[in-house]
Amino acid sequence: MMLVVDVVKGMQTQTAECLLIGQLTCSRMVVILNKTDLLPSDKRQVAIDKMTKRMHKTLENTRFKDCPIIAVAAKPGGPEAPDTDEPQGITELIDLLKAQSFLPHRDPSGSLLMAVDHCFSIRGQGTVITGTILQGSLSVNDNVEIPALKVTRKVKSVQMFRKPVASAMQGDRVGVCVTQFDPKLLERGVVCTPGSLQTLYAAIISVQKIEYYRGALNSRAKFHITVGHETVMARISFFNRVLPANENGDSKPTSQEQSANSFSFDWEFHHLDEHLTSQAEGGKGEPQQWALLEFERPVTCPPLCLVIGSRLDSDIHGNTCRLAFHGKLLEGFEDKNYTETALPRLKISKDKQKEGAVERVTDDYTVIGRNLFKKETNLQLFVGLKVTLSTGEAGSIEGGFGQSGKIKIRIPEGLKEETKQLLSSSSKKKGKGGSKNESPKLEEAKPDAQPVTIHLNFKRYIYDPHKKMVQS
């Protein structure tokens, strides 16, 4: 990666964003301080040394610590200046790039993925697509898919730097002639092994917040999602894992489960209103989190590809980072009706709490509760759920009582004597005569007569079509 920095202005907001993208995608970098011709000649070297020192300071906590920094004037006088002035430092830059270049490991195995950057026709031969092979390999007579067009074409010939070759592999720049199609339909995009790419309406990704992003990451918010070759708006919902306790009572994931690419539909998850930061977890490092992305239009991409979420609608000239989070694409949903067919498999629950009060005692084992539900609530959904009284007794909801949302609660162990006395004194207090104006005095007369409250705790799986309530 070459990071070009204006030697006069230094790091700008967009320069910093480019650096962040580089950290997610590249292993090596060269920093180029450009526009040295704008510096006064007598102070030029001092200014270059000062900016070089500042850049090393900026990069010391990144993966590009101690990367080479070189100063150039690529176009002395600016874009409008005549071409009479020779560029300064370009020869040295080329030598530096040669010294820094290396041959990465290339793997011809796996399915083909080729990034296409140009497409044109040759009459009588076919359509030529040029680009870079990102993974796998291709050979003459192979079939390749153009997923954007949903068509498959046969490879007729392959060229590398104007020379015919029988095959090409990961890392190669190639021109591939395939059987005819309209080149206007594919200026940029990807081609692949038939059936190897998914077109997704929604996806599950791992999530890590970018530390320089100042905004909150809230569920149900919309972000620009860059995935594969596309950037598309998506609604996001965050969740983390509910860990089962082991024999020691601990709830720690295994090392395999903690890996960044781990995910299973068998796991239990908990809905998050917003992404958890390390501060929220007591500074122990960012907890493992996932997100559901629901795309505004389908996207075509390979599994485990990099995902970057951003707010590109923010002010481009503002001094704020627009890149919000990144992650890996772990699961994709190709069915347009994924909310009915796929999401019910996703066990994400929300904790719910309801609180009401005991209105009166029916007998030693039964009380009537109020204010726990609204009049229109379907109480049948809650029959059998366990509740606790503020006085300590445990019971369960037997059913509704009357038409106003009241419920009948069964206490299997029976009410304590103190509870019965408390409820008895409370009901006597309510039953005393007197006008409305006198009731506050009665409250003052019996400050110990607190109402007995009912507590109902349960969880609901947000994608369960039956909306069942569950208690542990």
Side-chain angles (χ1 to χ4, degrees), residues 358-361 370 417-434 438-439 441-443 445-446 448-451:
V358 174
E359 184 175 82
R360 59 188 173 88
V361 178
R370 57 181 165 82
E417 281 303 317
E418 312 92 87
T419 307
K420 287 190 277 186
Q421 287 175 12
L422 186 61
L423 291 167
S424 166
S425 64
S426 176
S427 59
K428 282 176 185 172
K429 180 188 74 175
K430 284 182 191 170
K432 285 189 179 181
E438 292 172 2
S439 58
K441 293 177 184 174
L442 291 172
E443 291 281 356
K446 284 187 172 289
D448 57 322
Q450 296 293 325

mmCIF file of all heavy atoms in Angstrom, residues 358-361 370 417-434 438-439 441-443 445-446 448-451:
data_model
loop_
_atom_site.group_PDB
_atom_site.id
_atom_site.type_symbol
_atom_site.label_atom_id
_atom_site.label_comp_id
_atom_site.label_asym_id
_atom_site.label_seq_id
_atom_site.Cartn_x
_atom_site.Cartn_y
_atom_site.Cartn_z
ATOM 1 N N VAL A 358 -50.255 -7.278 44.107
ATOM 2 C CA VAL A 358 -51.323 -8.161 44.593
ATOM 3 C C VAL A 358 -52.502 -7.286 44.994
ATOM 4 O O VAL A 358 -52.365 -6.364 45.799
ATOM 5 C CB VAL A 358 -50.845 -9.006 45.786
ATOM 6 C CG1 VAL A 358 -52.016 -9.812 46.361
ATOM 7 C CG2 VAL A 358 -49.708 -9.925 45.374
ATOM 8 N N GLU A 359 -53.665 -7.582 44.409
ATOM 9 C CA GLU A 359 -54.863 -6.811 44.746
ATOM 10 C C GLU A 359 -55.545 -7.367 45.991
ATOM 11 O O GLU A 359 -55.938 -6.641 46.882
ATOM 12 C CB GLU A 359 -55.838 -6.805 43.571
ATOM 13 C CG GLU A 359 -57.057 -5.953 43.823
ATOM 14 C CD GLU A 359 -57.947 -5.856 42.596
ATOM 15 O OE1 GLU A 359 -58.737 -6.798 42.393
ATOM 16 O OE2 GLU A 359 -57.828 -4.860 41.855
ATOM 17 N N ARG A 360 -55.647 -8.701 46.036
ATOM 18 C CA ARG A 360 -56.276 -9.315 47.220
ATOM 19 C C ARG A 360 -55.946 -10.795 47.277
ATOM 20 O O ARG A 360 -55.456 -11.385 46.303
ATOM 21 C CB ARG A 360 -57.799 -9.128 47.201
ATOM 22 C CG ARG A 360 -58.511 -9.704 46.015
ATOM 23 C CD ARG A 360 -59.971 -9.263 46.037
ATOM 24 N NE ARG A 360 -60.668 -9.660 44.833
ATOM 25 C CZ ARG A 360 -61.277 -10.838 44.666
ATOM 26 N NH1 ARG A 360 -61.248 -11.743 45.642
ATOM 27 N NH2 ARG A 360 -61.914 -11.111 43.546
ATOM 28 N N VAL A 361 -56.232 -11.388 48.432
ATOM 29 C CA VAL A 361 -56.010 -12.817 48.656
ATOM 30 C C VAL A 361 -57.333 -13.551 48.478
ATOM 31 O O VAL A 361 -58.349 -13.134 49.027
ATOM 32 C CB VAL A 361 -55.460 -13.067 50.082
ATOM 33 C CG1 VAL A 361 -55.280 -14.552 50.332
ATOM 34 C CG2 VAL A 361 -54.171 -12.304 50.286
ATOM 35 N N ARG A 370 -52.867 -7.395 39.754
ATOM 36 C CA ARG A 370 -53.291 -6.360 38.814
ATOM 37 C C ARG A 370 -52.059 -5.610 38.292
ATOM 38 O O ARG A 370 -50.957 -5.731 38.835
ATOM 39 C CB ARG A 370 -54.247 -5.377 39.494
ATOM 40 C CG ARG A 370 -53.673 -4.715 40.722
ATOM 41 C CD ARG A 370 -54.662 -3.772 41.391
ATOM 42 N NE ARG A 370 -54.250 -3.413 42.747
ATOM 43 C CZ ARG A 370 -53.370 -2.467 43.034
ATOM 44 N NH1 ARG A 370 -52.808 -1.764 42.062
ATOM 45 N NH2 ARG A 370 -53.041 -2.221 44.293
ATOM 46 N N GLU A 417 -47.543 -16.173 56.844
ATOM 47 C CA GLU A 417 -48.449 -15.460 57.744
ATOM 48 C C GLU A 417 -48.235 -13.949 57.653
ATOM 49 O O GLU A 417 -49.180 -13.169 57.637
ATOM 50 C CB GLU A 417 -48.261 -15.929 59.198
ATOM 51 C CG GLU A 417 -48.930 -17.250 59.539
ATOM 52 C CD GLU A 417 -50.426 -17.238 59.270
ATOM 53 O OE1 GLU A 417 -51.090 -16.218 59.601
ATOM 54 O OE2 GLU A 417 -50.931 -18.221 58.713
ATOM 55 N N GLU A 418 -46.940 -13.534 57.580
ATOM 56 C CA GLU A 418 -46.646 -12.090 57.508
ATOM 57 C C GLU A 418 -47.245 -11.476 56.240
ATOM 58 O O GLU A 418 -47.728 -10.339 56.247
ATOM 59 C CB GLU A 418 -45.130 -11.823 57.502
ATOM 60 C CG GLU A 418 -44.344 -12.555 58.566
ATOM 61 C CD GLU A 418 -43.819 -13.887 58.066
ATOM 62 O OE1 GLU A 418 -42.726 -13.919 57.475
ATOM 63 O OE2 GLU A 418 -44.512 -14.908 58.277
ATOM 64 N N THR A 419 -47.189 -12.262 55.140
ATOM 65 C CA THR A 419 -47.724 -11.753 53.878
ATOM 66 C C THR A 419 -49.233 -11.570 53.983
ATOM 67 O O THR A 419 -49.782 -10.551 53.542
ATOM 68 C CB THR A 419 -47.382 -12.709 52.717
ATOM 69 O OG1 THR A 419 -45.981 -12.956 52.713
ATOM 70 C CG2 THR A 419 -47.812 -12.137 51.377
ATOM 71 N N LYS A 420 -49.890 -12.574 54.594
ATOM 72 C CA LYS A 420 -51.346 -12.475 54.735
ATOM 73 C C LYS A 420 -51.735 -11.278 55.605
ATOM 74 O O LYS A 420 -52.674 -10.558 55.296
ATOM 75 C CB LYS A 420 -51.907 -13.780 55.326
ATOM 76 C CG LYS A 420 -51.901 -14.937 54.339
ATOM 77 C CD LYS A 420 -52.663 -16.141 54.852
ATOM 78 C CE LYS A 420 -51.796 -16.971 55.757
ATOM 79 N NZ LYS A 420 -52.448 -18.240 56.179
ATOM 80 N N GLN A 421 -50.965 -11.056 56.666
ATOM 81 C CA GLN A 421 -51.249 -9.906 57.528
ATOM 82 C C GLN A 421 -51.023 -8.588 56.779
ATOM 83 O O GLN A 421 -51.804 -7.648 56.899
ATOM 84 C CB GLN A 421 -50.354 -9.956 58.766
ATOM 85 C CG GLN A 421 -50.750 -11.036 59.765
ATOM 86 C CD GLN A 421 -49.764 -11.142 60.915
ATOM 87 O OE1 GLN A 421 -48.908 -10.274 61.079
ATOM 88 N NE2 GLN A 421 -49.880 -12.211 61.703
ATOM 89 N N LEU A 422 -49.932 -8.554 55.993
ATOM 90 C CA LEU A 422 -49.617 -7.353 55.227
ATOM 91 C C LEU A 422 -50.726 -7.048 54.231
ATOM 92 O O LEU A 422 -51.184 -5.911 54.109
ATOM 93 C CB LEU A 422 -48.274 -7.557 54.497
ATOM 94 C CG LEU A 422 -47.687 -6.354 53.755
ATOM 95 C CD1 LEU A 422 -47.405 -5.208 54.708
ATOM 96 C CD2 LEU A 422 -46.397 -6.765 53.038
ATOM 97 N N LEU A 423 -51.178 -8.097 53.523
ATOM 98 C CA LEU A 423 -52.246 -7.905 52.552
ATOM 99 C C LEU A 423 -53.565 -7.597 53.230
ATOM 100 O O LEU A 423 -54.385 -6.842 52.711
ATOM 101 C CB LEU A 423 -52.376 -9.155 51.667
ATOM 102 C CG LEU A 423 -51.197 -9.389 50.699
ATOM 103 C CD1 LEU A 423 -51.244 -10.783 50.113
ATOM 104 C CD2 LEU A 423 -51.213 -8.344 49.592
ATOM 105 N N SER A 424 -53.761 -8.185 54.397
ATOM 106 C CA SER A 424 -54.994 -7.935 55.149
ATOM 107 C C SER A 424 -55.049 -6.474 55.606
ATOM 108 O O SER A 424 -56.053 -5.786 55.435
ATOM 109 C CB SER A 424 -55.052 -8.880 56.346
ATOM 110 O OG SER A 424 -56.031 -8.465 57.253
ATOM 111 N N SER A 425 -53.914 -5.965 56.163
ATOM 112 C CA SER A 425 -53.906 -4.580 56.630
ATOM 113 C C SER A 425 -54.019 -3.620 55.458
ATOM 114 O O SER A 425 -54.645 -2.571 55.549
ATOM 115 C CB SER A 425 -52.626 -4.290 57.424
ATOM 116 O OG SER A 425 -51.491 -4.420 56.584
ATOM 117 N N SER A 426 -53.440 -4.019 54.333
ATOM 118 C CA SER A 426 -53.502 -3.157 53.152
ATOM 119 C C SER A 426 -54.930 -3.058 52.643
ATOM 120 O O SER A 426 -55.413 -1.985 52.295
ATOM 121 C CB SER A 426 -52.579 -3.731 52.058
ATOM 122 O OG SER A 426 -52.677 -2.981 50.883
ATOM 123 N N SER A 427 -55.655 -4.210 52.624
ATOM 124 C CA SER A 427 -57.029 -4.179 52.119
ATOM 125 C C SER A 427 -57.953 -3.458 53.098
ATOM 126 O O SER A 427 -58.865 -2.766 52.700
ATOM 127 C CB SER A 427 -57.531 -5.606 51.846
ATOM 128 O OG SER A 427 -57.492 -6.364 53.024
ATOM 129 N N LYS A 428 -57.676 -3.605 54.442
ATOM 130 C CA LYS A 428 -58.484 -2.872 55.431
ATOM 131 C C LYS A 428 -58.321 -1.378 55.249
ATOM 132 O O LYS A 428 -59.254 -0.602 55.322
ATOM 133 C CB LYS A 428 -58.060 -3.257 56.852
ATOM 134 C CG LYS A 428 -58.600 -4.600 57.317
ATOM 135 C CD LYS A 428 -58.052 -4.922 58.686
ATOM 136 C CE LYS A 428 -58.484 -6.328 59.105
ATOM 137 N NZ LYS A 428 -57.813 -6.738 60.343
ATOM 138 N N LYS A 429 -57.041 -0.984 55.002
ATOM 139 C CA LYS A 429 -56.757 0.440 54.814
ATOM 140 C C LYS A 429 -57.571 0.978 53.644
ATOM 141 O O LYS A 429 -58.141 2.046 53.695
ATOM 142 C CB LYS A 429 -55.256 0.611 54.565
ATOM 143 C CG LYS A 429 -54.825 2.037 54.362
ATOM 144 C CD LYS A 429 -53.378 2.116 53.923
ATOM 145 C CE LYS A 429 -53.286 1.670 52.481
ATOM 146 N NZ LYS A 429 -51.942 1.830 51.942
ATOM 147 N N LYS A 430 -57.630 0.159 52.547
ATOM 148 C CA LYS A 430 -58.383 0.616 51.376
ATOM 149 C C LYS A 430 -59.865 0.659 51.660
ATOM 150 O O LYS A 430 -60.589 1.468 51.113
ATOM 151 C CB LYS A 430 -58.133 -0.342 50.199
ATOM 152 C CG LYS A 430 -56.779 -0.147 49.562
ATOM 153 C CD LYS A 430 -56.665 -1.092 48.402
ATOM 154 C CE LYS A 430 -55.238 -1.126 47.898
ATOM 155 N NZ LYS A 430 -55.065 -2.198 46.931
ATOM 156 N N GLY A 431 -60.322 -0.250 52.551
ATOM 157 C CA GLY A 431 -61.753 -0.344 52.778
ATOM 158 C C GLY A 431 -62.305 0.699 53.721
ATOM 159 O O GLY A 431 -63.505 0.816 53.885
ATOM 160 N N LYS A 432 -61.442 1.453 54.421
ATOM 161 C CA LYS A 432 -61.937 2.453 55.373
ATOM 162 C C LYS A 432 -62.715 3.546 54.673
ATOM 163 O O LYS A 432 -62.402 3.923 53.553
ATOM 164 C CB LYS A 432 -60.770 3.068 56.134
ATOM 165 C CG LYS A 432 -60.201 2.132 57.199
ATOM 166 C CD LYS A 432 -59.197 2.840 58.074
ATOM 167 C CE LYS A 432 -58.686 1.891 59.135
ATOM 168 N NZ LYS A 432 -57.726 2.546 60.017
ATOM 169 N N GLY A 433 -63.712 4.064 55.373
ATOM 170 C CA GLY A 433 -64.536 5.138 54.809
ATOM 171 C C GLY A 433 -63.801 6.452 54.783
ATOM 172 O O GLY A 433 -62.686 6.564 55.259
ATOM 173 N N GLY A 434 -64.466 7.472 54.262
ATOM 174 C CA GLY A 434 -63.866 8.802 54.210
ATOM 175 C C GLY A 434 -63.792 9.284 52.789
ATOM 176 O O GLY A 434 -63.889 8.518 51.850
ATOM 177 N N GLU A 438 -59.216 12.518 52.420
ATOM 178 C CA GLU A 438 -58.673 11.957 53.649
ATOM 179 C C GLU A 438 -57.688 10.819 53.393
ATOM 180 O O GLU A 438 -56.962 10.411 54.272
ATOM 181 C CB GLU A 438 -59.812 11.425 54.529
ATOM 182 C CG GLU A 438 -60.688 12.545 55.077
ATOM 183 C CD GLU A 438 -61.914 11.991 55.768
ATOM 184 O OE1 GLU A 438 -62.049 10.756 55.847
ATOM 185 O OE2 GLU A 438 -62.748 12.775 56.233
ATOM 186 N N SER A 439 -57.661 10.274 52.178
ATOM 187 C CA SER A 439 -56.837 9.083 51.916
ATOM 188 C C SER A 439 -55.352 9.296 52.143
ATOM 189 O O SER A 439 -54.694 8.411 52.668
ATOM 190 C CB SER A 439 -57.086 8.537 50.508
ATOM 191 O OG SER A 439 -56.819 9.528 49.552
ATOM 192 N N LYS A 441 -53.974 10.949 54.472
ATOM 193 C CA LYS A 441 -53.753 10.843 55.911
ATOM 194 C C LYS A 441 -53.702 9.384 56.332
ATOM 195 O O LYS A 441 -52.936 8.996 57.194
ATOM 196 C CB LYS A 441 -54.869 11.560 56.667
ATOM 197 C CG LYS A 441 -54.846 13.079 56.460
ATOM 198 C CD LYS A 441 -56.009 13.734 57.163
ATOM 199 C CE LYS A 441 -56.023 15.232 56.867
ATOM 200 N NZ LYS A 441 -57.212 15.876 57.408
ATOM 201 N N LEU A 442 -54.574 8.542 55.717
ATOM 202 C CA LEU A 442 -54.550 7.113 56.023
ATOM 203 C C LEU A 442 -53.214 6.505 55.646
ATOM 204 O O LEU A 442 -52.674 5.666 56.345
ATOM 205 C CB LEU A 442 -55.690 6.404 55.290
ATOM 206 C CG LEU A 442 -57.106 6.738 55.782
ATOM 207 C CD1 LEU A 442 -58.137 6.120 54.862
ATOM 208 C CD2 LEU A 442 -57.310 6.241 57.202
ATOM 209 N N GLU A 443 -52.639 6.956 54.473
ATOM 210 C CA GLU A 443 -51.323 6.472 54.043
ATOM 211 C C GLU A 443 -50.278 6.818 55.100
ATOM 212 O O GLU A 443 -49.431 6.020 55.440
ATOM 213 C CB GLU A 443 -50.929 7.119 52.702
ATOM 214 C CG GLU A 443 -51.776 6.662 51.506
ATOM 215 C CD GLU A 443 -51.341 5.315 50.995
ATOM 216 O OE1 GLU A 443 -50.352 4.773 51.503
ATOM 217 O OE2 GLU A 443 -52.015 4.780 50.096
ATOM 218 N N ALA A 445 -50.781 7.360 58.199
ATOM 219 C CA ALA A 445 -51.033 6.640 59.450
ATOM 220 C C ALA A 445 -50.434 5.242 59.420
ATOM 221 O O ALA A 445 -50.119 4.689 60.458
ATOM 222 C CB ALA A 445 -52.529 6.560 59.707
ATOM 223 N N LYS A 446 -50.298 4.630 58.227
ATOM 224 C CA LYS A 446 -49.758 3.274 58.136
ATOM 225 C C LYS A 446 -48.607 3.232 57.133
ATOM 226 O O LYS A 446 -48.737 2.704 56.038
ATOM 227 C CB LYS A 446 -50.854 2.299 57.700
ATOM 228 C CG LYS A 446 -51.828 1.945 58.812
ATOM 229 C CD LYS A 446 -52.760 0.842 58.337
ATOM 230 C CE LYS A 446 -53.615 0.313 59.458
ATOM 231 N NZ LYS A 446 -52.863 -0.474 60.432
ATOM 232 N N ASP A 448 -45.992 1.491 57.197
ATOM 233 C CA ASP A 448 -45.443 0.141 57.024
ATOM 234 C C ASP A 448 -46.267 -0.703 56.062
ATOM 235 O O ASP A 448 -45.830 -1.765 55.635
ATOM 236 C CB ASP A 448 -45.381 -0.556 58.395
ATOM 237 C CG ASP A 448 -46.743 -0.612 59.067
ATOM 238 O OD1 ASP A 448 -47.497 0.378 58.934
ATOM 239 O OD2 ASP A 448 -47.033 -1.641 59.710
ATOM 240 N N ALA A 449 -47.466 -0.282 55.700
ATOM 241 C CA ALA A 449 -48.346 -1.090 54.850
ATOM 242 C C ALA A 449 -47.993 -0.904 53.378
ATOM 243 O O ALA A 449 -48.693 -0.241 52.628
ATOM 244 C CB ALA A 449 -49.800 -0.716 55.108
ATOM 245 N N GLN A 450 -46.850 -1.482 52.977
ATOM 246 C CA GLN A 450 -46.409 -1.391 51.588
ATOM 247 C C GLN A 450 -47.161 -2.399 50.728
ATOM 248 O O GLN A 450 -47.488 -3.505 51.183
ATOM 249 C CB GLN A 450 -44.903 -1.672 51.507
ATOM 250 C CG GLN A 450 -44.026 -0.657 52.225
ATOM 251 C CD GLN A 450 -44.081 0.691 51.565
ATOM 252 O OE1 GLN A 450 -44.180 0.790 50.356
ATOM 253 N NE2 GLN A 450 -44.051 1.744 52.378
ATOM 254 N N PRO A 451 -47.470 -2.066 49.462
ATOM 255 C CA PRO A 451 -48.125 -3.058 48.608
ATOM 256 C C PRO A 451 -47.182 -4.218 48.308
ATOM 257 O O PRO A 451 -45.964 -4.042 48.265
ATOM 258 C CB PRO A 451 -48.443 -2.263 47.332
ATOM 259 C CG PRO A 451 -47.464 -1.137 47.312
ATOM 260 C CD PRO A 451 -47.212 -0.804 48.754
#
